Amino acid sequence: MSEEQGEHRELRELLGMHALGMTAPVDAARVQAHLDGCADCRAELAELEPLRADLRLVDPDRLPGEAAPPRELGDRVLAAVRQESVLRDRRERRASRTRRLRASLVPAAAAVVAAGVATGVTWQVATRDPAPAVAVEELPLTVVASGVRADAPAVVVPHTWGVEVTFEASGFAAGRTYRAVVRTADGATRPAGEFLGVGAGELTCDMQAAVLRDDATGFEVLDDAGATVLTLPLPRA
């Protein structure tokens, strides 16, 4: 566990006392500063707020002994660890691709800046912080076309602007164009991006569509003839 994660856990454990207004003065400022920058903890504090009156009635001296953890806790912890491992690997691969892309863009950016100076135009490069973490789903892909292989589940990320589907597969015919679509509850389809096949090599595809996750019912990859290659049902909650 990193130092940042350890501090997050420590401050999260103080949210109950903070909701009751009983945080020690030495910790109150730290908790509030953490809440200002942590959406997850703000949401958890909001869930505790309605319980404030009931919590004040609890007598610590009359509480029973330590409760045994639920039987399913171990399975839930292991599942969360496996999911985090998969997501970490995907994040690391994506970060590696991003670094390579940025490295390739440096000469182009320098040329643009030079051109701007030569013509009297001022250019400014804007940066932004990484997007906050969001809940994801891991769902199994169904291969329809022969020769295509997809062993790992796809990762579905719900965003405020649409839905993102990341998957790994191989066997797409080299040079052929494949397009992805997301199906909606009303039977319509929305484009989710295109890619070129590379033959037997494995592809990591990150497809995005302007459809909210709650409205999406399915994800498909089609070949250039319109035939379905991969399908991914998106069950609605």
PDB file of all heavy atoms in Angstrom, residues 113-130:
ATOM      1  N   VAL A 113       4.865  25.186 -32.745  1.00  0.00           N
ATOM      2  CA  VAL A 113       5.236  26.385 -31.993  1.00  0.00           C
ATOM      3  C   VAL A 113       6.122  27.287 -32.834  1.00  0.00           C
ATOM      4  O   VAL A 113       5.956  28.511 -32.873  1.00  0.00           O
ATOM      5  CB  VAL A 113       5.949  25.987 -30.679  1.00  0.00           C
ATOM      6  CG1 VAL A 113       6.527  27.215 -30.002  1.00  0.00           C
ATOM      7  CG2 VAL A 113       4.974  25.278 -29.753  1.00  0.00           C
ATOM      8  N   ALA A 114       7.097  26.667 -33.538  1.00  0.00           N
ATOM      9  CA  ALA A 114       7.994  27.465 -34.381  1.00  0.00           C
ATOM     10  C   ALA A 114       7.206  28.181 -35.468  1.00  0.00           C
ATOM     11  O   ALA A 114       7.444  29.357 -35.763  1.00  0.00           O
ATOM     12  CB  ALA A 114       9.062  26.555 -34.998  1.00  0.00           C
ATOM     13  N   ALA A 115       6.246  27.479 -36.063  1.00  0.00           N
ATOM     14  CA  ALA A 115       5.440  28.107 -37.103  1.00  0.00           C
ATOM     15  C   ALA A 115       4.617  29.249 -36.539  1.00  0.00           C
ATOM     16  O   ALA A 115       4.443  30.300 -37.164  1.00  0.00           O
ATOM     17  CB  ALA A 115       4.520  27.053 -37.740  1.00  0.00           C
ATOM     18  N   GLY A 116       4.118  29.039 -35.303  1.00  0.00           N
ATOM     19  CA  GLY A 116       3.325  30.103 -34.688  1.00  0.00           C
ATOM     20  C   GLY A 116       4.149  31.345 -34.426  1.00  0.00           C
ATOM     21  O   GLY A 116       3.709  32.468 -34.651  1.00  0.00           O
ATOM     22  N   VAL A 117       5.390  31.141 -33.956  1.00  0.00           N
ATOM     23  CA  VAL A 117       6.262  32.289 -33.710  1.00  0.00           C
ATOM     24  C   VAL A 117       6.575  33.015 -35.019  1.00  0.00           C
ATOM     25  O   VAL A 117       6.586  34.246 -35.096  1.00  0.00           O
ATOM     26  CB  VAL A 117       7.560  31.821 -33.013  1.00  0.00           C
ATOM     27  CG1 VAL A 117       8.561  32.965 -32.934  1.00  0.00           C
ATOM     28  CG2 VAL A 117       7.241  31.280 -31.624  1.00  0.00           C
ATOM     29  N   ALA A 118       6.827  32.236 -36.074  1.00  0.00           N
ATOM     30  CA  ALA A 118       7.190  32.841 -37.358  1.00  0.00           C
ATOM     31  C   ALA A 118       6.058  33.689 -37.924  1.00  0.00           C
ATOM     32  O   ALA A 118       6.291  34.681 -38.609  1.00  0.00           O
ATOM     33  CB  ALA A 118       7.580  31.748 -38.355  1.00  0.00           C
ATOM     34  N   THR A 119       4.808  33.296 -37.634  1.00  0.00           N
ATOM     35  CA  THR A 119       3.671  34.026 -38.193  1.00  0.00           C
ATOM     36  C   THR A 119       3.071  35.018 -37.205  1.00  0.00           C
ATOM     37  O   THR A 119       2.054  35.641 -37.481  1.00  0.00           O
ATOM     38  CB  THR A 119       2.572  33.038 -38.623  1.00  0.00           C
ATOM     39  OG1 THR A 119       2.199  32.233 -37.502  1.00  0.00           O
ATOM     40  CG2 THR A 119       3.083  32.138 -39.735  1.00  0.00           C
ATOM     41  N   GLY A 120       3.693  35.127 -36.021  1.00  0.00           N
ATOM     42  CA  GLY A 120       3.179  36.070 -35.038  1.00  0.00           C
ATOM     43  C   GLY A 120       2.005  35.535 -34.248  1.00  0.00           C
ATOM     44  O   GLY A 120       1.328  36.296 -33.559  1.00  0.00           O
ATOM     45  N   VAL A 121       1.728  34.221 -34.331  1.00  0.00           N
ATOM     46  CA  VAL A 121       0.613  33.621 -33.601  1.00  0.00           C
ATOM     47  C   VAL A 121       1.159  32.977 -32.335  1.00  0.00           C
ATOM     48  O   VAL A 121       2.175  32.296 -32.370  1.00  0.00           O
ATOM     49  CB  VAL A 121      -0.105  32.558 -34.461  1.00  0.00           C
ATOM     50  CG1 VAL A 121      -1.240  31.925 -33.668  1.00  0.00           C
ATOM     51  CG2 VAL A 121      -0.631  33.199 -35.734  1.00  0.00           C
ATOM     52  N   THR A 122       0.502  33.182 -31.209  1.00  0.00           N
ATOM     53  CA  THR A 122       0.928  32.591 -29.942  1.00  0.00           C
ATOM     54  C   THR A 122       0.119  31.335 -29.676  1.00  0.00           C
ATOM     55  O   THR A 122      -1.111  31.360 -29.729  1.00  0.00           O
ATOM     56  CB  THR A 122       0.717  33.583 -28.779  1.00  0.00           C
ATOM     57  OG1 THR A 122       1.467  34.767 -29.047  1.00  0.00           O
ATOM     58  CG2 THR A 122       1.182  32.964 -27.458  1.00  0.00           C
ATOM     59  N   TRP A 123       0.833  30.227 -29.375  1.00  0.00           N
ATOM     60  CA  TRP A 123       0.180  28.953 -29.078  1.00  0.00           C
ATOM     61  C   TRP A 123       0.389  28.620 -27.605  1.00  0.00           C
ATOM     62  O   TRP A 123       1.425  28.886 -27.045  1.00  0.00           O
ATOM     63  CB  TRP A 123       0.773  27.824 -29.937  1.00  0.00           C
ATOM     64  CG  TRP A 123       0.596  28.045 -31.402  1.00  0.00           C
ATOM     65  CD1 TRP A 123       1.387  28.782 -32.238  1.00  0.00           C
ATOM     66  CD2 TRP A 123      -0.468  27.555 -32.217  1.00  0.00           C
ATOM     67  NE1 TRP A 123       0.892  28.764 -33.517  1.00  0.00           N
ATOM     68  CE2 TRP A 123      -0.235  28.017 -33.529  1.00  0.00           C
ATOM     69  CE3 TRP A 123      -1.585  26.755 -31.957  1.00  0.00           C
ATOM     70  CZ2 TRP A 123      -1.089  27.712 -34.584  1.00  0.00           C
ATOM     71  CZ3 TRP A 123      -2.432  26.440 -33.007  1.00  0.00           C
ATOM     72  CH2 TRP A 123      -2.184  26.927 -34.302  1.00  0.00           C
ATOM     73  N   GLN A 124      -0.618  28.016 -26.997  1.00  0.00           N
ATOM     74  CA  GLN A 124      -0.500  27.625 -25.597  1.00  0.00           C
ATOM     75  C   GLN A 124      -0.947  26.171 -25.462  1.00  0.00           C
ATOM     76  O   GLN A 124      -1.995  25.792 -25.980  1.00  0.00           O
ATOM     77  CB  GLN A 124      -1.379  28.511 -24.702  1.00  0.00           C
ATOM     78  CG  GLN A 124      -1.282  28.144 -23.224  1.00  0.00           C
ATOM     79  CD  GLN A 124      -2.121  29.076 -22.368  1.00  0.00           C
ATOM     80  OE1 GLN A 124      -2.807  29.935 -22.896  1.00  0.00           O
ATOM     81  NE2 GLN A 124      -2.061  28.909 -21.077  1.00  0.00           N
ATOM     82  N   VAL A 125      -0.130  25.345 -24.802  1.00  0.00           N
ATOM     83  CA  VAL A 125      -0.466  23.948 -24.573  1.00  0.00           C
ATOM     84  C   VAL A 125      -1.161  23.835 -23.229  1.00  0.00           C
ATOM     85  O   VAL A 125      -0.641  24.286 -22.217  1.00  0.00           O
ATOM     86  CB  VAL A 125       0.798  23.066 -24.582  1.00  0.00           C
ATOM     87  CG1 VAL A 125       0.436  21.610 -24.302  1.00  0.00           C
ATOM     88  CG2 VAL A 125       1.508  23.186 -25.921  1.00  0.00           C
ATOM     89  N   ALA A 126      -2.343  23.253 -23.233  1.00  0.00           N
ATOM     90  CA  ALA A 126      -3.106  23.089 -21.994  1.00  0.00           C
ATOM     91  C   ALA A 126      -2.948  21.669 -21.481  1.00  0.00           C
ATOM     92  O   ALA A 126      -2.884  20.730 -22.249  1.00  0.00           O
ATOM     93  CB  ALA A 126      -4.588  23.389 -22.242  1.00  0.00           C
ATOM     94  N   THR A 127      -2.860  21.539 -20.185  1.00  0.00           N
ATOM     95  CA  THR A 127      -2.807  20.224 -19.552  1.00  0.00           C
ATOM     96  C   THR A 127      -3.980  20.093 -18.608  1.00  0.00           C
ATOM     97  O   THR A 127      -4.549  21.079 -18.165  1.00  0.00           O
ATOM     98  CB  THR A 127      -1.503  20.040 -18.756  1.00  0.00           C
ATOM     99  OG1 THR A 127      -1.432  21.047 -17.751  1.00  0.00           O
ATOM    100  CG2 THR A 127      -0.291  20.141 -19.671  1.00  0.00           C
ATOM    101  N   ARG A 128      -4.314  18.858 -18.287  1.00  0.00           N
ATOM    102  CA  ARG A 128      -5.413  18.633 -17.351  1.00  0.00           C
ATOM    103  C   ARG A 128      -5.076  17.431 -16.488  1.00  0.00           C
ATOM    104  O   ARG A 128      -4.297  16.577 -16.854  1.00  0.00           O
ATOM    105  CB  ARG A 128      -6.722  18.377 -18.095  1.00  0.00           C
ATOM    106  CG  ARG A 128      -6.692  17.131 -18.984  1.00  0.00           C
ATOM    107  CD  ARG A 128      -8.014  16.955 -19.666  1.00  0.00           C
ATOM    108  NE  ARG A 128      -8.024  15.765 -20.501  1.00  0.00           N
ATOM    109  CZ  ARG A 128      -9.055  15.378 -21.230  1.00  0.00           C
ATOM    110  NH1 ARG A 128     -10.145  16.096 -21.231  1.00  0.00           N
ATOM    111  NH2 ARG A 128      -8.996  14.283 -21.954  1.00  0.00           N
ATOM    112  N   ASP A 129      -5.705  17.391 -15.328  1.00  0.00           N
ATOM    113  CA  ASP A 129      -5.473  16.286 -14.413  1.00  0.00           C
ATOM    114  C   ASP A 129      -6.168  15.041 -14.934  1.00  0.00           C
ATOM    115  O   ASP A 129      -7.154  15.129 -15.665  1.00  0.00           O
ATOM    116  CB  ASP A 129      -6.030  16.635 -13.024  1.00  0.00           C
ATOM    117  CG  ASP A 129      -5.262  17.791 -12.399  1.00  0.00           C
ATOM    118  OD1 ASP A 129      -4.077  17.928 -12.723  1.00  0.00           O
ATOM    119  OD2 ASP A 129      -5.862  18.540 -11.611  1.00  0.00           O
ATOM    120  N   PRO A 130      -5.684  13.843 -14.539  1.00  0.00           N
ATOM    121  CA  PRO A 130      -6.359  12.617 -14.958  1.00  0.00           C
ATOM    122  C   PRO A 130      -7.784  12.582 -14.457  1.00  0.00           C
ATOM    123  O   PRO A 130      -8.115  13.162 -13.424  1.00  0.00           O
ATOM    124  CB  PRO A 130      -5.514  11.515 -14.289  1.00  0.00           C
ATOM    125  CG  PRO A 130      -4.209  12.157 -13.993  1.00  0.00           C
ATOM    126  CD  PRO A 130      -4.494  13.598 -13.751  1.00  0.00           C
TER     127      PRO A 130
END
